[in-house]
């Protein structure tokens, strides 16, 4: 139902069927002020084929004209970062694709002024003055944090974070906490990403789905996010920080065992002794074991050189523990370095966490790829943040965020530490989270390695066949389902009511509020 002059990252991500036809690109024409890519809808018979056009950024920022400005923008209910073609340059570039182009949606800059627009022509085709692929990458990699900041400010900030990691082992715990709390006051003022929920990226997805279904004049099929018709995913992970944590696993494992949950445990190879029988027992219970850096000194990902020196030992422990997953200590992360770790998946990014020493957020509550590595974002606030830094009395924020993610078909990925579970608020909070979703029949309760495997299977499967007779081809065909996005651009319908009967697919609970 779609053919495109160029690969469309949004379709690739959601596994929407389309064909790349480079001959369509002939119309892109050399010497155009901006490079325009085109998806043509084949539409219902008799209908005028309409297109989604978008500004390509694939040749790199240096190839873009001055009229395409990298910045922070707002459209409808989402903030985004990327190069946007501003007003005057646009109509000229579009004359080859249609007539009667006029702005239909305003795009605001960070100061709240109208800076650009989404355009429509007389036949109803749409032009996006930005590249969805670039916008998605800006979020996933957290590169957006550099937008609008001077190189000097960025260097200063990086030095501060490095200093914190280096100093931390020498600081008494109480002082560490005081420092983190005073960071909190500064971080509260950062307006992006929102906390505990930042749904800009997912609102963009919903808007694009609505737009494309409207252009096509029919629902848009895609490979369901979770296997076997489950409507959301719940993943439990733990980092074991010290010897104390290593002796206290049962504070968290106990209630899990009782309620029938499995979880993943990340150990630090060279900080304390990890007895083989602990690893074996967890695995026998169906749990997973992962690698949590090498020494937990904040230096594993400090430089390419040090990482190269440490990696063979990390790999050795990964083999010994049959670990396929990595969690970086203090969620320290470097987008370019993560895939070089050689793990199947990484889980060191948060969807939003302004309270970490390296604050930020990839804004995604779904898995995604960083080169060949699957990234599984942490999507609940960490125990330490909630109970020690912010002094929450109970698990209210955990449960409300998890409900929000359930309603949005997302992945709830929790990170808790047995080391902190000596705090009864934390231990009780964890138990109430587990109890809350314990008999939820809509959930896919999975280990992180199972989610990574599913995400790979999904990414190399396609929807084949024709309208009315779609089928999944590839490794996801056994467990995958096809869902549809509907033309109404509102979040509800774009949020994919199913073709198949899906447990909970039609479920609607009252909106979850954060205040
Ligand atoms: Zn840790």
């Amino acid at each position: 139902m779609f053919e495109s002059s160029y690969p469309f990252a949004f379709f690739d991500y959601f596994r929407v069927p389309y064909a790349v036809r480079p001959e369509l690109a002939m119309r892109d024409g050399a010497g155009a002020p901006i490079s325009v890519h085109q998806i043509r809808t084949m539409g219902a018979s008799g209908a005028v084929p309409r297109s989604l056009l978008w500004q390509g950024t694939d040749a790199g920022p240096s190839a873009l004209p001055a009229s395409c400005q990298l910045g922070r923008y707002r459209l409808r209910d989402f903030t985004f970062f990327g190069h946007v073609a501003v007003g005057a340059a646009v109509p000229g570039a579009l004359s080859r694709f249609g007539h009667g182009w006029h702005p239909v949606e305003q795009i605001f800059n960070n100061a709240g002024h109208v800076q650009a627009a989404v355009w429509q022509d007389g036949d109803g085709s749409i032009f996006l003055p930005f590249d969805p692929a670039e916008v998605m990458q800006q979020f996933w990699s957290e590169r957006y944090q550099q937008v609008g900041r001077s190189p000097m400010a960025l260097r200063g900030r990086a030095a501060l974070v490095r200093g914190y990691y280096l100093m931390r082992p020498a600081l008494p715990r109480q002082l560490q906490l005081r420092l983190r709390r005073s960071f909190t006051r500064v971080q509260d003022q950062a307006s992006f990403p929102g906390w505990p929920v930042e749904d800009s990226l997912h609102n963009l997805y919903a808007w694009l789905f609505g737009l494309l279904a409207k252009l096509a004049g029919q629902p848009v099929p895609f490979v369901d996010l979770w296997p076997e018709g489950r409507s959301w995913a719940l993943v439990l992970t733990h980092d074991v920080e010290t010897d104390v944590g290593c002796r206290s696993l049962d504070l968290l494992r106990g209630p899990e065992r009782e309620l029938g949950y499995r979880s993943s445990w990340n150990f630090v190879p060279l900080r304390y002794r990890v007895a083989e029988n602990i690893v074996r027992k967890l695995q026998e219970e169906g749990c997973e074991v992962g690698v949590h850096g090498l020494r937990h000194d904040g230096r594993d990902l400090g430089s390419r050189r040090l990482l190269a020196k440490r990696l063979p030992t990390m790999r050795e422990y990964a083999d010994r523990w049959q670990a396929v997953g990595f969690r970086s200590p203090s969620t320290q992360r470097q987008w370019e370095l993560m895939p070089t770790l050689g793990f199947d998946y990484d889980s060191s990014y948060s969807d939003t966490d302004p309270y970490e020493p390296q604050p930020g957020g990839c804004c995604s509550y779904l898995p995604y790829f960083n080169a060949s590595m699957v990234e599984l974002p942490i999507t609940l606030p960490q125990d330490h943040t909630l109970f020690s830094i912010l002094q929450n009395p109970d698990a209210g924020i955990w449960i409300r965020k998890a409900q929000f993610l359930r309603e949005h078909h997302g992945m709830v990925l929790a990170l808790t530490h047995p080391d902190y579970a000596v705090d009864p608020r934390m231990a009780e909070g964890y138990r109430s989270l587990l109890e809350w979703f314990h008999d939820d029949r809509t959930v896919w309760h999975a280990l992180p390695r199972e989610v990574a495997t599913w995400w790979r299977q999904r990414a190399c499967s396609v929807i084949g066949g024709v309208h009315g007779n779609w089928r999944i081809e590839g490794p996801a065909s056994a467990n995958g389902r096809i869902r549809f996005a509907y033309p109404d651009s509102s979040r509800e319908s774009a949020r994919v009511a199913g073709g198949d009967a899906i447990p909970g697919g039609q479920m609607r609970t009252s909106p979850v509020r954060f205040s």
Side-chain angles (χ1 to χ4, degrees):
M1 63 195 280
F2 297 106
E3 45 182 30
S4 180
S5 65
Y6 196 82
F8 191 45
F10 176 72
F11 278 178
D12 292 336
Y13 185 60
F14 284 97
R15 314 311 297 153
V16 173
Y18 76 111
V20 178
R21 303 232 186 280
E23 62 270 23
L24 281 176
M26 301 292 280
R27 299 180 56 192
D28 282 7
I34 48 179
S35 140
V36 177
H37 298 314
Q38 177 182 26
I39 285 177
R40 238 176 27 181
T41 65
M42 324 245 270
S45 59
V48 185
R50 292 182 293 192
S51 296
L52 178 74
L53 308 169
W54 78 96
Q55 182 208 207
T57 57
D58 27 278
S62 57
L64 291 167
S67 57
C68 290
Q69 292 171 5
L70 176 63
R72 169 177 168 166
Y73 297 94
R74 185 132 189 114
L75 169 60
R76 289 200 165 200
D77 57 354
F78 57 90
T79 297
F80 70 100
F81 301 81
H83 288 86
V84 169
V86 297
V90 173
L94 298 179
S95 58
R96 297 165 293 140
F97 296 97
H99 54 84
W101 289 101
H102 56 282
V104 285
E105 296 247 20
Q106 294 177 323
I107 296 177
F108 299 88
N109 66 12
N110 198 22
H113 302 130
V114 177
Q115 185 89 26
V118 174
W119 297 72
Q120 190 169 40
D121 81 349
D123 292 329
S125 290
I126 294 282
F127 171 71
L128 307 178
F130 58 89
D131 186 346
E134 185 197 27
V135 172
M136 287 156 73
Q137 281 294 330
Q138 287 277 345
F139 281 122
W140 289 346
S141 64
E142 297 180 313
R143 214 164 281 143
Y144 69 85
Q145 294 189 312
Q146 296 167 19
V147 171
R149 290 198 183 171
S150 73
M152 210 161 87
L154 287 169
R155 273 200 301 277
R157 184 184 176 74
L160 254 178
V161 170
R162 248 193 334 271
Y164 173 82
Y165 282 125
L166 288 177
M167 250 163 51
R168 197 178 55 163
L171 297 177
R173 176 128 185 92
Q174 281 313 312
L175 183 58
Q176 279 185 43
L177 265 181
R178 271 214 301 281
L179 265 176
R180 289 281 293 278
R181 284 196 194 116
S182 63
F183 280 152
T184 305
R185 279 193 284 279
V186 180
Q187 284 154 0
D188 277 344
Q189 293 160 14
S191 57
F192 194 91
W195 186 92
V197 168
E198 174 52 65
D199 51 8
S200 278
L201 176 60
H202 292 268
N203 289 349
L204 164 71
Y205 294 156
W207 178 71
L208 280 174
F209 260 135
L211 203 64
L212 283 152
K214 206 162 157 188
L215 285 170
Q218 55 185 306
V220 176
F222 65 96
V223 177
D224 199 359
L225 302 170
W226 308 115
E228 288 158 7
R230 302 300 176 130
S231 65
W232 62 293
L234 173 61
V235 185
L236 304 173
T237 73
H238 309 285
D239 294 350
V240 182
E241 306 291 88
T242 62
D243 212 28
V244 176
C246 213
R247 290 193 305 266
S248 324
L249 301 191
D250 270 351
L251 290 176
L252 301 175
R253 185 63 199 131
E256 288 177 357
R257 215 179 271 129
E258 211 178 289
L259 295 162
Y261 284 98
R262 300 174 302 152
S263 54
S264 168
W265 297 80
N266 300 307
F267 291 98
V268 187
L270 299 188
R271 194 188 207 185
Y272 48 83
R273 202 178 86 81
V274 184
E276 289 297 325
N277 65 330
I278 291 182
V279 172
R280 215 176 30 247
K281 179 151 189 281
L282 285 169
Q283 288 168 336
E284 278 166 10
E285 290 182 7
C287 290
E288 176 182 342
V289 169
V291 175
H292 189 33
L294 186 63
R295 297 180 187 277
H296 213 297
D297 56 1
R299 298 177 67 204
D300 297 333
L301 289 151
S303 76
R304 204 173 272 272
R305 232 184 78 220
L306 192 56
L307 179 64
K309 219 167 123 191
R310 291 184 169 197
L311 196 52
T313 315
M314 282 196 246
R315 298 282 348 152
E316 204 184 298
Y317 277 87
D319 291 344
R320 188 183 301 180
W321 296 341
Q322 296 167 302
V324 298
F326 183 79
R327 159 86 40 70
S328 182
S330 312
T331 67
Q332 192 186 27
R333 52 208 185 269
Q334 280 274 356
W335 181 250
E336 285 75 20
L337 292 186
M338 305 319 267
T340 68
L341 295 168
F343 285 84
D344 187 40
Y345 73 85
D346 169 61
S347 181
S348 304
Y349 286 74
S350 291
D351 66 334
T352 169
D353 197 340
Y355 301 109
E356 277 291 285
Q358 184 182 337
C362 62
C363 303
S364 174
Y365 39 78
L366 290 175
Y368 55 93
F369 279 91
N370 176 357
S372 62
M373 186 179 234
V374 177
E375 183 59 46
L376 303 176
I378 303 157
T379 58
L380 289 190
Q382 290 190 34
D383 47 0
H384 180 252
T385 304
L386 213 54
F387 295 100
S388 299
I389 298 178
L390 300 175
Q391 295 285 324
N392 269 252
D394 57 36
I397 289 186
W398 270 351
I399 290 169
R400 288 203 299 283
K401 172 100 186 250
Q403 286 176 316
F404 173 90
L405 296 175
R406 177 177 68 174
E407 287 170 25
H408 292 81
H409 303 289
M411 173 177 67
V412 173
L413 192 148
L415 162 54
T416 47
H417 305 77
D419 309 74
Y420 307 141
V422 288
D423 178 342
R425 290 171 308 170
M426 200 247 126
E428 278 157 31
Y430 188 62
R431 175 182 275 277
S432 54
L433 176 73
L434 298 181
E435 282 172 348
W436 195 273
F437 298 104
H438 164 230
D439 48 11
D440 189 311
R441 307 251 321 266
T442 65
V443 70
W444 184 40
H445 170 48
L447 294 173
R449 64 158 188 250
E450 294 165 345
V451 179
T453 300
W454 159 252
W455 208 254
R456 282 181 195 284
Q457 291 176 340
R458 187 177 173 277
C460 53
S461 298
V462 295
I463 295 181
V466 289
H467 179 55
N469 195 20
W470 300 114
R471 62 176 184 280
I472 298 175
E473 294 165 358
S477 63
N479 297 321
R481 301 279 189 279
I482 295 170
R483 288 218 193 200
F484 294 88
Y486 286 85
D488 186 329
S489 68
S490 80
R491 185 163 191 118
E492 286 321 297
S493 44
R495 229 182 57 217
V496 300
D500 297 358
I502 286 160
Q506 278 75 37
M507 174 189 66
R508 235 357 246 146
T509 48
S510 57
V512 179
R513 299 213 170 281
F514 293 92
S515 50

